[in-house]
Amino acid sequence: MATKTAAERRTEARRAYDAYVQECPTRHLLDRISDKWVSLLLTALAGGPRRYGDLSRIVAGVSQKMLTQTLRTMERDGLVSRAVTVSVPVRVDYELTELGRSLLPVMQAIKSWAETHIEDVLAARERYDDRPN
């Protein structure tokens, strides 16, 4: 049985989608879905379709540029769908796709965990920062 080169092992691992392999495309997806705007927009869309302006109000602090960019990448990744209704002004609604809805429970759990444990994290940071070097 022949041994495999490092390049062959990396290619094989990439095909198996092992996120610990640097070239694995799942790393890009993990990077994308761990973005704070993606997680907030996913959970904001949990209740159903929302207009762009509604999302802008719900997700406080997101700039127009970042909101547009994030929604576009989420649409490209198949997490949201965009529906344009011709009217004056034009109406644009965003909704989670089936793929986006499958990610929703994970994101809701992370959001809930963060809201529940923020005091613990802030206290840990303070203890860490107060340690002598």
Side-chain angles (χ1 to χ4, degrees):
M1 181 159 116
T3 59
K4 296 179 184 176
T5 66
E8 289 170 331
R9 286 192 304 273
R10 283 193 301 272
T11 300
E12 187 176 285
R14 189 170 43 247
R15 280 193 213 115
Y17 298 116
D18 180 352
Y20 291 112
V21 176
Q22 185 174 354
E23 299 85 8
C24 182
T26 58
R27 278 196 178 193
H28 299 289
L29 181 57
L30 287 170
D31 184 48
R32 173 102 65 222
I33 63 177
S34 65
D35 177 81
K36 71 178 174 184
W37 301 122
V38 170
S39 60
L40 291 172
L41 287 168
L42 266 169
T43 55
L45 289 165
R50 298 255 187 205
R51 294 178 75 174
Y52 182 93
D54 294 335
L55 291 170
S56 180
R57 283 186 291 281
I58 292 168
V59 183
V62 65
S63 68
Q64 184 175 356
K65 177 185 176 188
M66 188 54 65
L67 179 58
T68 299
Q69 183 178 325
T70 304
L71 286 167
R72 283 183 184 161
T73 59
M74 290 173 71
E75 184 180 10
R76 181 174 183 249
D77 289 341
L79 301 175
V80 298
S81 62
R82 180 177 180 263
V84 178
T85 305
V86 179
S87 62
V88 178
V90 173
R91 179 184 171 122
V92 181
D93 291 290
Y94 294 89
E95 184 174 15
L96 292 176
T97 62
E98 186 176 331
L99 185 61
R101 284 189 300 275
S102 73
L103 180 58
L104 187 58
V106 175
M107 286 303 180
Q108 287 174 320
I110 291 171
K111 178 180 173 285
S112 177
W113 183 92
E115 292 167 344
T116 301
H117 294 284
I118 186 60
E119 293 297 326
D120 299 325
V121 171
L122 293 174
R125 287 178 183 174
E126 190 173 320
R127 284 191 305 275
Y128 181 90
D129 292 344
D130 288 345
R131 290 186 332 194
N133 291 337

